[in-house]
Amino acid sequence: MNKAENQSYTKYFLLAISLHCIVLAVILLNHSSQETLKISAMEPTHSMPKEIVASLAVIPSEAPKKIQKKIQIAEPQKLVQDLVKDLVQEQEINLEKIKAEKLAKLEKLEKELEKNKVEQLAKLEQAKREQAKIEAARLLEQNKERILAQKRITQVQQEAEKVAQKAAEQVLAQQQALAQQAQRANEQAQLLRMIDRYALLMRAKIHQNWRRPVGIDNLYKCKVAVKLGIHGEVVSAKVIDSSGNVEFDRSAELAILKSSPLPLPSDEKMRAPFNNFTFTFDPQMV
Amino acid sequence: MKKTYIVFILYFLGLCTIPMAQAQLNIEITQGMLGEIPIAITAFEGVQPPGVALGSIIKNDLSTSGRFKTITNLPGSAQNLRALPVKQWQDLGAENVVFGQVKSLGNNRYTVSFELVDTFNGGASAQRLIHKSYENIRAENFRALAHHISDVIYESLTGVKGAFSTRIAYILVNEAGQQYPYALEIADADGYNPKTLVLSKEPMMSPAWSPDGKRLAFVSFEKKQSEVYIIDIATGRRELIARFPGINGAPSWSFDSRSLALVLSKDGSPKIYTIDLLTKQLTSITQGMNIDTEPAFEPDGRSLLFTSNRGGQPQIYRIYLNNHSVERVTFTGNYNARPRVTQDGKKMVMIHQGSDGHFHIASQNLQTGEVSVLTNSDLDESPSLSPNGAMILYGTSDTKNSRRVLGMVTIDGRGRLRLPARQGNVQEPAWSPYLAVKSM
């Protein structure tokens, strides 16, 4: 508290003292029973040390009651002194009490704190223990999972191995098939070359033997189906797609008949396409 | 797993398609030598009427047609030839052989049979294509029978109807001191059996056969002016058709026999008219101041071709009978005249002046406009088509250029021959249509 407040307090102290004197006078006059002095909350704080004033401010309710009991005394100054002493004592006691209370509280608090701490520690410990348990459990789980995973991996690996093996087998089989294919394709190509060659030979022979009719337009064409014997002899040559002109059709059949025997490959396999084939006569196609 | 199965299936299918791809081999033949049908005609066995040999007539017919080549160097006699192995015929190059037999029945009557065989078909023995017999044939009809057999063989091997049983008409001019120097004659298509229809002191021209082959229209100057007559061949009776002032000429029959196209100059310059043969009604066809002549009906009867100088030089034009609209037909060369059309309406033959300045027979494809020159002597005229369109009869000079004779050329220009020369000049030939087969 500052000086200004001190000065106001002094004023009030003087005022209080005067009031006390008046009250005492009244009492003395009346000889009456105790009268409660209503002291305002602010009053007891006047000449008190700061701490007491503060604590008194904190505990206002108790002060007035104590002061009530002490009022039944004679001399005002002594009364006042006593009052003050009492007051001070009271205050000191109060203070002590308060201190004690506070201490007690503090202790209590401390105890509580301790207790809390302990509890907390205990909790912490518990928590830690539980954590540890969880950890342990989790680790266990993890382990289990790891083991499972491992199992799965090994399973997968095994399967992969199997697949790889199968793939390898398939590749081998495919390679073999391809090789066979290639061989067959080779044979086919050879066969086709042979066929081409003999077709050309036949064509050349028929070109030499085809008597084309005179006196008709050059617009006719026809298709003749041919059957050959083993040695290329023409067994039959019959027009299957007529040109519309009798002489043209006949000349085509005759061209083939005149070319008998047609050249045939000696290999039976290569003769297959020539078992049943056709000629198209089309002079426009040159 | 699935993937590999699919792959296998595809491979399998792929393999399957390879034999499919070569399902049927087809070889293309694009070249050959143009050539007539090589045919061997053996002499008919048995005794034939004197002066007639069926085999030779048939041989002549077929070789002059330009479509056949007769093989002449046949070994041995007729009897041996019948027994000749097929292979030998093939070696001779004969695709076909004709065998025949004549059996005398007495009383100038005969039985004739013939065979046409195919030497390359039928393996060891030749395949018989035709075998026909004719009973009770009179000697005087042997030539006709021979021509008929030629028709049968021709049609069987070419698919085209033969024209060997047709006739020709022409003007024979014999100025060497004859009373009647001009004769209108008809003969067999090979020139045999000529028959005179009209004898005249004055010129005759332009004989034209009626579509039924029984009548001839022609132009005569017997009365010192031109007249158009129709003569009945069987009876010799004539009918006067036109005798107008000026030119009466170039008669041409419509294909339905109902009218005759004519050239008349009675109204000024020569113009085309038609005359109805029943009513004798005259219809004017062409107009103008230029010369229109030589009309020829087209087979569908809707138009006729004619020669005209309306464009400057003589060219061939077409006029439609319904609306008389005119269009030009020839565009090749400076001179084209005397049109005649084939019975299918596709080709026209004409006199054409070539780049050498000479007049030749040419054909023009009426659809494409393509022109082919068919003859090559100095002055060829009066082309007339056979009814099957395969041959053209025309007037030409003999080799010494001393006389006019008849020539024949195939429609493609390959085969050319001259008919046997007659005494005098033969000109203005006309080929008859198909004739009704007479009883033999």
Side-chain angles (χ1 to χ4, degrees), chain A residues 103-115:
Chain A
L103 271 167
K105 269 202 180 150
L106 212 75
E107 273 181 35
K108 210 167 138 194
L109 275 170
E110 278 182 23
K111 272 195 193 150
E112 275 191 32
L113 266 169
E114 279 288 331
K115 208 165 121 196

Side-chain angles (χ1 to χ4, degrees), chain B residues 402-415:
Chain B
S402 58
R403 301 188 277 185
R404 301 294 295 170
V405 293
L406 295 184
M408 251 200 229
V409 67
T410 53
I411 189 73
D412 60 358
R414 279 176 63 94

Side-chain angles (χ1 to χ4, degrees), chain A residues 207-225:
Chain A
H207 278 174
Q208 281 181 328
N209 287 322
W210 185 25
R211 175 195 65 79
R212 281 176 52 200
V214 304
I216 65 173
D217 294 326
N218 212 14
L219 306 167
Y220 294 103
K221 69 175 198 174
C222 70
K223 202 178 220 184
V224 185

